[in-house]
Amino acid sequence: MALPVLSSSAVKFRRVLAHFPQELSLAFAYGSGVFRQAGASAEHGESNMLDFVFAVDDAVTWHMMNLLKNRSHYSFLKFFGPKQITTIQRYGAGIYYNTLVPCNGRMIKYGVISTDTLIEDLFHWKTLYVAGRLQKPVKILALNENSKLQAALVSNLKSAVTAAFLMLPESFSEEELYMQIAGLSYSGDFRMIIGEDKSKVQNIVKPNVAHFQKLYSAILQDCPQVVYKHHPGRLEASIDKSPEGQFTQLMALPKTLQQKITALVSPPGKNRDVEEILLQVAHDPDCGLVVQQGISGIVRPSSIVQSAKTILTAG
């Protein structure tokens, strides 16, 4: 299954790429500068900062070339050279951001992540930082022929659906499903407590349901656990909430999330099998809550370290 690419009539995003070294395995634009959010006017979107993520196979070489081309984008860390920048990049979520960069008449922010780190996050949800971004609509600007990366992008979307199913009630609307998916990477993110708009998830989903449909419709159609009930003007789905159904879903979750759930449920020092613990969770009426706590346990540390890193990288 190929990842749905959200086509953009606007060439403005691709024009930005021309300013950077071209060795990119993946480049995408995301956020309120790309997709309208509820409560924001069209003009507001035009003035918002544009957010990009670039995945690169060799971070040291890429930063070395970018320092030659765009030295002013970097904070004082440029004086330490590409190797040190790459070392700092590896902390937290494994992404290095240059922010408040003027480009083509707009302010942009761009993050650089190594392809291997991104693939690991997409498959296993090690930090859910960039994987979480890619669970919401983005504009893919460049994607090379790396089959492992392409498989990881699809795997991440399937995992998002599985985790959302476990946290939703037996019957839910399509919009409720997308709200649950969009909220995954904000679960436990300390920025949601101290800075971000509390209705952020709703603002992302409501004006962009069609984009979420494009991203997830093929996965949902292939889902044996989903039964669709068509009501006038409302698509409802119901899923198997039996312990067997939930166990199947828990076993399909990314490795890091399974480990977090295991650590929450199993007392320290008891060497119990992951499968045995997940079977216990599947029978728990609070199964969805345990999954949510597991996700928070992944997101919280990486969001804190990543925000602390910004002090250095943004100067």
Side-chain angles (χ1 to χ4, degrees):
M1 180 189 149
L3 183 82
V5 174
L6 298 174
S7 59
S8 163
S9 54
V11 234
K12 61 183 173 187
F13 303 116
R14 286 195 180 85
R15 282 200 188 121
V16 169
L17 294 192
H19 293 264
F20 296 95
Q22 291 307 292
E23 289 68 16
L24 303 171
S25 58
L26 171 71
F28 65 88
Y30 67 95
S32 56
V34 184
F35 294 97
R36 195 172 72 78
Q37 294 189 4
S41 64
E43 295 77 32
H44 181 64
E46 281 301 311
S47 63
N48 276 6
M49 180 149 62
L50 291 176
D51 297 303
F52 295 88
V53 167
F54 303 148
V56 301
D57 291 345
D58 181 344
V60 177
T61 303
W62 196 90
H63 282 298
M64 182 178 73
M65 291 161 70
N66 199 39
L67 279 163
L68 291 170
K69 216 171 181 179
N70 299 304
R71 194 170 174 81
S72 63
H73 294 184
Y74 291 82
S75 69
F76 68 93
L77 292 172
K78 58 176 164 269
F79 299 111
F80 295 97
K83 279 189 182 170
Q84 197 59 48
I85 287 169
T86 304
T87 301
I88 290 161
Q89 179 178 307
R90 291 191 190 111
Y91 286 101
I95 187 164
Y96 184 101
Y97 271 103
N98 281 329
T99 189
L100 294 172
V101 173
C103 184
N104 291 356
R106 291 283 291 270
M107 276 296 178
I108 73 162
K109 174 178 91 182
Y110 63 94
V112 183
I113 187 168
S114 95
T115 308
D116 289 343
T117 302
L118 175 59
I119 288 171
E120 191 177 6
D121 196 29
L122 292 166
F123 273 131
H124 304 306
W125 286 10
K126 195 176 175 192
T127 66
L128 243 182
Y129 198 86
V130 181
R133 296 261 181 274
L134 285 158
Q135 288 161 1
K136 297 178 269 291
V138 302
K139 284 216 189 313
I140 304 270
L141 308 172
L143 177 60
N144 73 5
E145 294 299 303
N146 183 332
S147 57
K148 195 176 179 188
L149 174 57
Q150 292 179 8
L153 287 162
V154 175
S155 170
N156 178 46
L157 297 180
K158 287 180 176 174
S159 298
V161 169
T162 305
F165 283 170
L166 283 159
M167 292 190 282
L168 284 162
E170 186 178 356
S171 188
F172 52 86
S173 70
E174 194 177 11
E175 192 173 285
E176 284 164 346
L177 170 63
Y178 299 143
M179 295 272 282
Q180 194 71 63
I181 289 171
L184 292 175
S185 60
Y186 295 119
S187 184
D189 187 337
F190 87 105
R191 292 171 302 174
M192 293 302 281
I193 302 161
I194 60 163
E196 295 278 7
D197 180 358
K198 301 294 181 290
S199 55
K200 188 175 178 78
V201 172
Q202 197 173 335
N203 293 346
I204 289 169
V205 175
K206 282 197 175 291
N208 293 300
V209 168
H211 291 306
F212 276 93
Q213 285 171 331
K214 195 166 185 181
L215 210 47
Y216 287 101
S217 61
I219 289 169
L220 294 170
Q221 280 162 13
D222 291 344
C223 245
Q225 296 131 317
V226 184
V227 179
Y228 286 104
K229 296 176 289 185
H230 290 270
H231 294 279
R234 180 178 163 93
L235 173 64
E236 275 211 348
S238 62
I239 41 169
D240 181 2
K241 280 284 173 184
S242 68
E244 296 76 21
Q246 296 199 136
F247 178 64
T248 303
Q249 290 163 3
L250 287 163
M251 289 298 288
L253 290 174
K255 186 175 69 179
T256 310
L257 181 51
Q258 289 181 342
Q259 289 166 347
K260 290 286 180 189
I261 291 168
T262 304
L264 281 168
V265 175
S266 186
K270 283 219 173 184
N271 205 0
R272 288 170 68 199
D273 186 56
V274 171
E275 201 168 317
E276 185 192 333
I277 290 162
L278 293 181
L279 187 59
Q280 179 190 325
V281 174
H283 283 81
D284 190 331
D286 291 328
C287 172
L289 190 62
V290 177
V291 172
Q292 185 166 19
Q293 287 172 340
I295 291 170
S296 296
I298 296 171
V299 173
R300 192 178 298 109
S302 64
S303 74
I304 290 170
V305 176
Q306 200 58 45
S307 293
K309 255 167 70 172
T310 306
I311 298 165
L312 292 174
T313 61

